[in-house]
Amino acid sequence: MSARDWIEKDFYRELGVSSDASADEIKKAYRKLARELHPDANPGDAKAEARFKAVSEAYGILSDAAKRKQYDEARRLFAGGGGFPGGFGTGGTGGFDVGDLFGRAQQTGGMGGLGDILGGLFNRRGGTTASATRPRRGDDVETDVRIDFTEAVRGATVPLRLSSPSACGTCAGSGARPGTTPRTCTNCGGAGLVTRSQGAFAFSEPCTDCRGTGRIVDDPCPECGGDGVSTKTRTLTIRIPSGVDDGQRIRLAGQGEPGRNNGPAGDLYVRVHVNPHPVFGRSGNDLTLTAPVTFPELALGTTLTVPTLDGKVTLRVPAGTASGRVLRAKGKGIAKRDGQVGDLLITLLVQVPDNMDAAAREALEKYAAVTTHHDPRAELNALVEKR
């Protein structure tokens, strides 16, 4: 969207809301209009389609807090002429250049942060045309890798194959056929931007001859077609740290997309997905395990042997232990790089047999007969009766 659109278009009127409308009011108004004007609801209606596009454009600005702030600041300065002869785009005299405004703002400090806002709108910053040929950092790239539970606990080295943009190997990123070099664009002088007058103002916009690059490639590289970037498949070896969480991202600096104009490359973010383990779970740095036990083992006490990721551990279960109690095996959890080591948490759970032989049933019935004095629900019933 051009700077002129920001100032001349009334996005609030498009949505039928006031300039101090809340974000919820703006969203509600947009949804109502979008339903009424959607092309599916108005097939073949060019006016409805145009209104739908205008409403969507308005919502795109007003629903974004940062863009709305910039829009409001620009309108406050220019909508009514902003104190400048002729207003905006009306052919006022004097040849006023927005760059002068930024220059004065820096000298006097009278505009506060408004210079930055307008600099973004008009591609001007401190009265100097922003150079499109300045080094630009490459984009960040994100990919996914899946590992086993044990690899997440202990750490692992994983090969990763990526198909992503990288600097063209044939032209070394210049975009020109080997043996040739790009020439400076004569239309913009290599700045990548040209200035045009719009009434009383002057605006900078990307040069159409060089597409804003400041350079023209007369003989493009056969591999990348003049872009200086080609898609390649590469293999990286990444180190997964011990104790990595499911969904955690690992950053590899400088392994993202290549920068433009000798700018630095972006970063590569690897999102780790961990397969669940059939036996163990995880809670922070602790491993968890559910150990089935019998009622006699809990009632009489026993010595319990359970597995760990490194072998086995033996624990003493005191007599009278309740089902659901959690025992702790110190230092048998996850060891992280910072030296923290978790534990293994073992939950004891009584396992009721599906069927019993006659001898076991007879013994259990005798036990039940001699323990009739014990009511495990006595306390529960007493609390209910008090209420």
Side-chain angles (χ1 to χ4, degrees):
M1 182 185 299
S2 68
R4 182 169 184 161
D5 289 337
W6 277 64
I7 297 171
E8 291 192 337
K9 289 187 177 181
D10 191 339
F11 294 133
Y12 292 104
R13 185 173 62 185
E14 290 286 359
L15 295 179
V17 297
S18 64
S19 59
D20 59 354
S22 66
D24 288 339
E25 290 172 335
I26 290 173
K27 182 186 294 185
K28 183 177 180 181
Y30 167 70
R31 288 180 175 177
K32 179 176 181 296
L33 291 171
R35 286 194 298 268
E36 295 174 357
L37 300 171
H38 197 280
D40 292 344
N42 303 273
D45 190 337
K47 289 184 177 180
E49 183 178 356
R51 278 280 291 132
F52 178 77
K53 291 180 179 179
V55 165
S56 300
E57 180 185 45
Y59 182 69
I61 298 299
L62 300 184
S63 62
D64 186 303
K67 290 181 180 178
R68 182 180 180 183
K69 180 179 178 182
Q70 292 179 353
Y71 172 67
D72 289 342
E73 291 286 353
R75 279 170 54 85
R76 273 195 288 272
L77 182 62
F78 291 111
F84 303 117
F88 177 85
T90 59
T93 60
F96 180 83
D97 192 312
V98 178
D100 297 335
L101 175 64
F102 298 131
R104 290 198 300 271
Q106 284 193 333
Q107 294 170 7
T108 65
M111 288 178 60
L114 191 54
D116 286 340
I117 294 173
L118 295 175
L121 296 179
F122 298 106
N123 292 325
R124 303 295 293 261
R125 192 67 61 139
T128 304
T129 303
S131 174
T133 60
R134 70 183 185 277
R136 287 182 293 171
R137 181 181 183 275
D139 291 335
D140 293 335
V141 176
E142 183 168 322
T143 189
D144 298 88
V145 66
R146 183 168 293 278
I147 62 175
D148 291 335
F149 185 89
T150 304
E151 291 177 318
V153 171
R154 296 173 176 168
T157 300
V158 180
L160 187 66
R161 287 179 60 84
L162 291 173
S163 292
S164 60
S166 59
C168 176
T170 301
C171 66
S174 71
R177 184 184 294 273
T180 66
T181 57
R183 62 182 173 88
T184 301
C185 176
T186 56
N187 187 41
C188 65
L193 300 171
V194 293
T195 301
R196 63 182 177 86
S197 297
Q198 188 70 272
F201 299 93
F203 301 93
S204 294
E205 60 186 6
C207 175
T208 55
D209 288 5
C210 63
R211 295 181 298 176
T213 64
R215 306 179 308 156
I216 293 180
V217 178
D218 294 313
D219 193 1
C221 169
E223 180 180 343
C224 65
D227 290 334
V229 176
S230 61
T231 300
K232 294 182 179 179
T233 299
R234 53 189 173 130
T235 301
L236 296 175
T237 300
I238 63 171
R239 174 63 186 171
I240 307 294
S242 58
V244 66
D245 291 309
D246 182 54
Q248 182 175 333
R249 293 199 311 170
I250 298 173
R251 173 176 170 266
L252 299 179
Q255 295 296 331
E257 289 193 4
R260 298 283 184 172
N261 302 322
N262 296 318
D267 298 333
L268 171 64
Y269 288 89
V270 181
R271 188 177 298 276
V272 180
H273 301 277
V274 181
N275 292 325
H277 195 279
V279 174
F280 296 98
R282 179 176 177 180
S283 176
N285 290 346
D286 297 328
L287 295 176
T288 61
L289 171 69
T290 298
V293 292
T294 65
F295 172 72
E297 286 177 323
L298 293 184
L300 303 176
T302 188
T303 298
L304 196 66
T305 299
V306 296
T308 71
L309 284 178
D310 300 314
K312 295 182 179 180
V313 64
T314 300
L315 302 168
R316 176 63 185 168
V317 180
T321 298
S323 179
R325 180 175 173 180
V326 178
L327 302 181
R328 184 182 297 270
K330 287 284 189 178
K332 297 298 182 180
I334 298 171
K336 286 198 168 183
R337 290 186 299 176
D338 58 7
Q340 296 183 13
V341 181
D343 303 327
L344 174 62
L345 306 180
I346 304 104
T347 301
L348 305 178
L349 191 63
V350 169
Q351 185 177 60
V352 178
D354 295 334
N355 52 68
M356 293 183 292
D357 57 23
R361 177 176 291 276
E362 181 180 356
L364 189 57
E365 289 173 346
K366 288 181 179 179
Y367 169 77
V370 299
T371 57
T372 54
H373 63 281
H374 174 65
D375 184 1
R377 291 173 294 279
E379 185 176 348
L380 174 65
N381 293 328
L383 290 173
V384 172
E385 290 173 0
K386 285 182 179 180
R387 292 179 176 271

